């Protein structure tokens, strides 16, 4: 997509993900008459404010109400995200969430900028430097390194999860590289958490 424009100076991680002609990789929700942000964006906003001491759906609903009162969410947006409160509560009961609670350090929405060659990013057969930008949803530090978690709200059948996870492999490789450079510590594992399917998928585990 860059052949007529040359190598871009700056690119976001999502722009590097392969596209599926059948629309199988729609990241969140496509609806008609959508008011406010897309559902995937709203879910990420809620997860950004999530208190890991929470355990119940009622507590997640209370958080949504609080974000509405603070005008971080509009009433329309709050109404759209409330049906996901139960799924988010399931995440809070997951092994991943338990590990995050017990971690030495927990970081959310970590922005990064990384300079890589166009060749390394698969853009062009060139050593020209490109600034890669992205945001890591969640990372927590255990004794032997960081664990990265990326939230996904795709509408996809259970049977397609492995194939869908493969679609995000490059994204997670770049997140791992970025966090290791920023923190100076190794990343021991990268997980996708599929909110709709209420399950994790390990995309990288350190040997």
């Amino acid at each position: 997509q860059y052949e007529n424009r040359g190598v871009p100076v700056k690119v976001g991680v999502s722009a590097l993900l392969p596209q599926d002609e059948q629309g199988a990789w729609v990241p969140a929700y496509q609806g008609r008459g959508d008011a406010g942000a897309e559902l995937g964006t709203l879910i990420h906003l809620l997860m950004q404010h999530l208190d890991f001491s929470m355990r119940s759906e009622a507590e997640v609903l209370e958080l949504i109400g609080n974000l509405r009162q603070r005008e971080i969410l509009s009433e329309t947006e709050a109404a759209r995200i409330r049906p996901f409160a139960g799924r988010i509560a399931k995440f809070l009961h997951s092994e991943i969430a338990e590990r995050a609670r017990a971690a030495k350090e927990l970081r959310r929405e970590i922005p990064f900028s990384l300079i890589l060659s166009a060749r390394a990013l698969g853009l062009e057969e060139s050593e020209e430097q490109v600034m890669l930008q992205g945001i890591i949803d969640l990372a927590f530090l255990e004794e032997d390194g960081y664990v990265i978690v990326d939230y996904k709200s795709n509408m996809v059948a259970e049977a397609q999860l492995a194939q869908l996870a493969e679609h995000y492999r490059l994204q997670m490789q770049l997140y791992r590289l970025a966090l290791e450079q920023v923190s100076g510590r190794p990343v021991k594992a990268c997980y996708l958490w599929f909110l709709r399917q209420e399950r994790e998928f390990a995309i990288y585990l350190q040997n």
Side-chain angles (χ1 to χ4, degrees), residues 52 100 103 105-110 136-142 145-151 175 179 187 189:
F52 276 78
E105 175 189 309
L106 189 148
R107 303 171 66 182
R108 318 161 192 250
E109 296 289 309
I110 309 164
I136 299 169
D137 288 345
L138 175 70
F140 55 86
L141 181 61
E142 297 184 325
Y146 275 103
V147 176
I148 292 175
V149 182
D150 198 62
Y151 308 124
Y175 283 2
L179 187 56
V187 171

Side-chain angles (χ1 to χ4, degrees), residues 9 11 15-16 20-21 66 71 74 76 78 124 133 135 170:
V9 174
V11 68
L16 302 176
D20 183 84
E21 293 178 359
N66 179 265
E71 298 185 345
S74 70
T76 300
E124 295 257 348
Q133 295 183 317
I135 299 176
L170 173 61

Side-chain angles (χ1 to χ4, degrees), residues 154-170:
N154 306 65
M155 297 175 67
V156 65
E158 183 81 19
Q160 289 183 287
L161 280 186
Q163 186 182 3
L164 179 60
E166 188 63 32
H167 169 75
Y168 292 115
R169 186 170 296 279
L170 173 61

Side-chain angles (χ1 to χ4, degrees), residues 8-203:
V9 174
K10 183 169 62 176
V11 68
V13 171
S14 59
L16 302 176
L17 300 179
Q19 300 300 310
D20 183 84
E21 293 178 359
Q22 306 304 317
W25 312 135
V26 175
Y29 171 87
Q30 284 189 329
R32 297 177 182 174
D34 186 34
E38 290 186 358
L39 184 56
T41 303
L42 294 177
I43 289 171
H44 276 79
L45 177 63
L46 181 59
M47 300 302 279
Q48 180 182 347
H49 289 85
L50 201 62
D51 183 342
F52 276 78
S53 69
M54 295 176 177
R55 302 261 182 182
S56 69
E57 181 176 353
E59 288 173 306
V60 177
L61 287 169
E62 185 177 348
L63 172 61
I64 293 170
N66 179 265
L67 294 176
R68 173 67 193 102
Q69 286 182 346
R70 292 160 59 192
E71 298 185 345
I72 294 172
L73 292 173
S74 70
E75 183 51 49
T76 300
E77 291 167 342
R80 290 193 59 211
I81 204 170
R82 283 188 191 106
F84 271 81
R87 289 186 171 110
I88 292 169
K90 288 284 184 66
F91 167 71
L92 289 167
H93 283 273
S94 69
E95 181 185 353
I96 288 278
E98 290 292 348
R99 289 171 65 182
R101 285 187 191 95
K104 301 171 59 155
E105 175 189 309
L106 189 148
R107 303 171 66 182
R108 318 161 192 250
E109 296 289 309
I110 309 164
F112 68 85
S113 296
L114 200 61
I115 303 295
L116 294 170
S117 71
R119 178 178 284 108
L121 292 172
L123 297 175
E124 295 257 348
E125 288 302 314
S126 166
E127 292 305 315
E128 190 167 342
Q129 300 291 285
V130 178
M131 178 181 287
L132 177 72
Q133 295 183 317
I135 299 176
I136 299 169
D137 288 345
L138 175 70
F140 55 86
L141 181 61
E142 297 184 325
E143 289 292 337
D144 48 351
Y146 275 103
V147 176
I148 292 175
V149 182
D150 198 62
Y151 308 124
K152 299 299 181 188
S153 53
N154 306 65
M155 297 175 67
V156 65
E158 183 81 19
Q160 289 183 287
L161 280 186
Q163 186 182 3
L164 179 60
E166 188 63 32
H167 169 75
Y168 292 115
R169 186 170 296 279
L170 173 61
Q171 177 187 12
M172 301 308 285
Q173 287 173 350
L174 294 170
Y175 283 2
R176 177 163 60 98
L177 178 62
L179 187 56
E180 287 180 342
Q181 286 200 11
V182 168
S183 69
R185 290 176 175 268
V187 171
K188 59 183 281 188
C190 297
Y191 294 96
L192 302 174
W193 180 269
F194 290 103
L195 285 155
R196 291 180 186 271
Q197 294 78 15
E198 299 172 1
R199 57 162 292 187
E200 70 187 49
F201 195 99
I203 210 83

